[in-house]
Amino acid sequence: MKPLRILFLASEADPFVKVGGLGDVAGSLPYALQSLGQDLDVRLVIPFHPSIRAEGLTLVRETVFTIPHYGREVPAQVFCTDVKGLPVYLISGAPVTGSLKVYDPNPKADGEKYVFFSMAALEMARRLEWRPDVVHANDWHTAPAVYAVRRMQNDPFWQGVKTVFSVHNLGYMGAEAENALLAYGLPPVEEPLLPEWARRQPMGQALWAADAIVAVSPSYAEEIQTPEYGYGLETYLQAHSEKITGIVNGIDYSLWNPAKDSALEANFDVTRLEERARNKANLQAQFGLTELPDAPLLAMVTRFDFQKGVDIALNALRMVTAQPWQAILLGTGNATLEEAARLLEAHFHHRVAAVIRFDARLSRQIYGGADILLMPSRYEPCGLAQMIAMRYGAIPLARATGGLRDTIADGRTGFLFTEPSPSVMAAAIRRAIHAYRNRETWQAMQRAAMAEDFSWEKSARQYADLYQSL
Ligand code: NHF
């Protein structure tokens, strides 16, 4: 039997370029699929973003062609490289090179870039005479490819090709891509169950066109079918729930390993938990926090965004100041939230450090040294930080939503709370601090958290089964 061919499209993929969780997923799932030992031929396609450094990559120029855009033709170039045996294609062209950021602050330019990229990725497959069995797209940026494949079912090359569309975040739909869609030949879908506006957007079109929709956790798969999380698309999604599944993401265990992580002051594993104390002391010294034996070190490593509930956490912390805790807040994003974090630091000097920057190394030190990771997300399709934290023996305290609910066992591997309000979160923090004071309880939780298996293999198998079923 010839291997099943999967064309995997994403806007970002580690180690080429990573902005958020999607970069982690696209940077590890294709490899995990490839290493399943099943007969899969996976090829990853991403835009050749200006931030991707060509030095150090062995690039082969594969093909050049043009993509029709209204009356004119937009040239596209395809380069190929190989990472750990996985072919990776990088697509270049004016809409990609024209914007310095992976996600352009101008949403119209972003629309042009990603519709172009999606169309070029498909045309590439044709030029290379590599007919995929499944096109797997991720989020709105590559959604146009799903819709285009559906529209080309009369074309002998695309006839019978199936599509999988993974939803990592339904909240971002590519609202400003409408003109680009029209320019590249993708008209609104005619689907009465979708709101009128969604018929003209990449997200709505791909949900309609996809043979299978994957939400990045089982809970999120249910949530997107409700008015609270469905953003107006829930009616359509409810009516087509048979094509929706939830598959939780994994993390790359070779990249996230506290026994080998060179960012850590002290490496450790589940049998040497006491080593974490040195990592904690290192963090306290770095940020001028007093060493207090009884105080758990709470941490946030996040985009400063309302989705992530940063405001909820900041307010909750103010409600529990009578308790002995310290906190490190790492991240950047919304200016109001950044300011609120700085203000908390100003009010609670020697207790709170607001570190307003992107710092991958420090994030590792936090996972390896903090006691509790706070994730009060208003919604969280999957969440990766809680899985990394658990692998590093930091106990997550999170809102019971999406993937957080699916990966954290309340009272055993972490703490969950339901209502997204500061007082409810404050109650959960009190509960966690109480547990922290009992050394045995705490170590039992750490061991249970570290024993969970969040490696990609299980999830990759679920994706492989889904491809096969299509
Ligand atoms: O983990 C990758 C990530 C998720 O919850 C995360 C999110 C965006 O919001 O699937 O995508």
Side-chain angles (χ1 to χ4, degrees):
M1 226 174 65
K2 95 178 185 10
L4 212 54
R5 292 176 165 181
I6 315 297
L7 190 66
F8 193 99
L9 313 184
S11 52
E12 50 173 298
D14 196 38
F16 296 95
V17 59
K18 184 175 104 167
V19 179
L22 176 58
D24 291 296
V25 173
S28 46
L29 174 57
Y31 301 97
L33 286 164
Q34 194 91 305
S35 4
L36 281 180
Q38 297 185 3
D39 247 354
L40 293 177
D41 178 354
V42 187
R43 311 219 169 165
L44 170 65
V45 196
I46 58 171
F48 204 157
H49 295 291
S51 58
I52 298 178
R53 299 187 163 268
E55 313 92 68
L57 293 177
T58 317
L59 289 174
V60 178
R61 197 184 163 99
E62 284 280 348
T63 174
V64 187
F65 49 82
T66 61
I67 301 286
H69 180 280
Y70 283 134
R72 59 194 184 88
E73 297 286 326
V74 187
Q77 299 94 42
V78 178
F79 299 85
C80 184
T81 184
D82 180 284
V83 183
K84 294 184 276 176
L86 180 87
V88 180
Y89 297 101
L90 301 161
I91 296 188
S92 188
V96 175
T97 50
S99 73
L100 290 178
K101 290 200 157 170
V102 173
Y103 302 113
D104 201 287
N106 169 2
K108 288 216 163 59
D110 229 25
E112 283 291 332
K113 169 165 52 184
Y114 286 112
V115 182
F116 164 80
F117 169 70
S118 301
M119 300 308 276
L122 296 182
E123 185 55 22
M124 172 199 94
R126 187 206 298 273
R127 296 283 162 151
L128 301 180
E129 292 174 35
W130 191 83
R131 183 180 174 276
D133 295 293
V134 177
V135 171
H136 184 167
N138 295 274
D139 274 356
W140 80 261
H141 321 95
T142 48
V146 174
Y147 184 38
V149 168
R150 172 82 175 255
R151 287 181 51 81
M152 295 191 291
Q153 286 298 306
N154 289 330
D155 174 332
F157 185 82
W158 293 106
Q159 207 165 42
V161 174
K162 301 296 181 187
T163 53
V164 171
F165 182 53
S166 286
V167 179
H168 300 262
N169 199 330
L170 190 69
Y172 296 86
M173 302 195 191
E176 304 277 340
E178 181 180 350
N179 289 343
L181 289 167
L182 292 173
Y184 286 102
L186 297 173
V189 283
E190 287 170 32
E191 169 54 62
L193 290 180
L194 283 172
E196 219 274 312
W197 53 264
R199 298 176 207 167
R200 293 181 267 116
Q201 295 185 5
M203 180 62 82
Q205 294 176 346
L207 293 175
W208 175 83
D211 292 299
I213 298 169
V214 177
V216 288
S217 68
S219 286
Y220 194 54
E222 285 175 21
E223 287 169 351
I224 57 174
Q225 299 178 51
T226 65
E228 193 185 345
Y229 297 92
Y231 293 101
L233 307 184
E234 63 277 5
T235 312
Y236 175 82
L237 292 170
Q238 278 159 23
H240 292 277
S241 60
E242 79 294 339
K243 68 172 181 177
I244 307 175
T245 44
I247 302 179
V248 80
N249 293 326
I251 53 172
D252 185 334
Y253 269 34
S254 63
L255 294 178
W256 298 105
N257 181 359
K260 298 225 170 99
D261 195 328
S262 62
L264 299 183
E265 177 84 11
N267 289 109
F268 61 94
D269 60 23
V270 72
T271 63
R272 288 176 293 144
L273 269 176
E274 64 287 350
E275 293 292 315
R276 292 186 95 258
R278 280 169 54 203
N279 296 327
K280 181 170 173 179
N282 175 41
L283 287 170
Q284 287 165 321
Q286 268 187 69
F287 297 103
L289 305 173
T290 335
E291 266 191 58
L292 297 170
D294 245 7
L297 180 57
L298 317 181
M300 280 191 100
V301 177
T302 187
R303 236 181 327 118
F304 276 44
D305 193 304
F306 285 92
Q307 178 206 331
K308 301 292 182 183
V310 177
D311 53 321
I312 300 175
L314 297 177
N315 290 323
L317 288 174
R318 286 184 185 273
M319 291 177 162
V320 291
T321 48
Q323 305 269 339
W325 53 263
Q326 298 177 328
I328 298 184
L329 314 165
L330 171 66
T332 63
N334 178 290
T336 312
L337 294 172
E338 289 181 354
E339 194 44 43
R342 285 201 191 91
L343 206 63
L344 190 76
E345 178 189 74
H347 287 169
F348 299 98
H349 229 59
H350 305 303
R351 256 188 106 160
V352 176
V355 192
I356 309 299
R357 60 173 192 253
F358 179 87
D359 190 332
R361 191 179 160 81
L362 177 59
S363 76
R364 288 172 175 275
Q365 296 174 345
I366 290 176
Y367 294 126
D371 298 299
I372 298 172
L373 185 82
L374 307 177
M375 290 186 79
S377 304
R378 290 195 162 79
Y379 71 96
E380 195 62 73
C382 177
L384 301 171
Q386 83 278 16
M387 296 194 262
I388 301 170
M390 284 189 260
R391 176 132 167 88
Y392 280 60
I395 299 300
L397 184 153
R399 175 147 184 261
T401 181
L404 297 171
R405 190 175 124 197
D406 294 340
T407 54
I408 300 170
D410 185 44
R412 194 175 71 81
T413 60
F415 298 93
L416 291 174
F417 63 95
T418 313
E419 205 194 302
S421 79
S423 60
V424 174
M425 182 179 182
I429 296 178
R430 281 190 207 100
R431 196 150 62 90
I433 294 179
H434 183 76
Y436 177 79
R437 289 213 183 102
N438 184 325
R439 215 182 138 76
E440 264 163 44
T441 312
W442 197 255
Q443 287 193 350
M445 283 189 84
Q446 287 180 302
R447 281 195 294 270
M450 291 178 83
E452 293 287 318
D453 181 5
F454 298 117
S455 62
W456 262 110
E457 200 184 319
K458 203 165 70 194
S459 311
R461 239 174 248 295
Q462 288 175 275
Y463 272 107
D465 290 347
L466 176 65
Y467 299 151
Q468 212 74 51
S469 74
L470 291 175

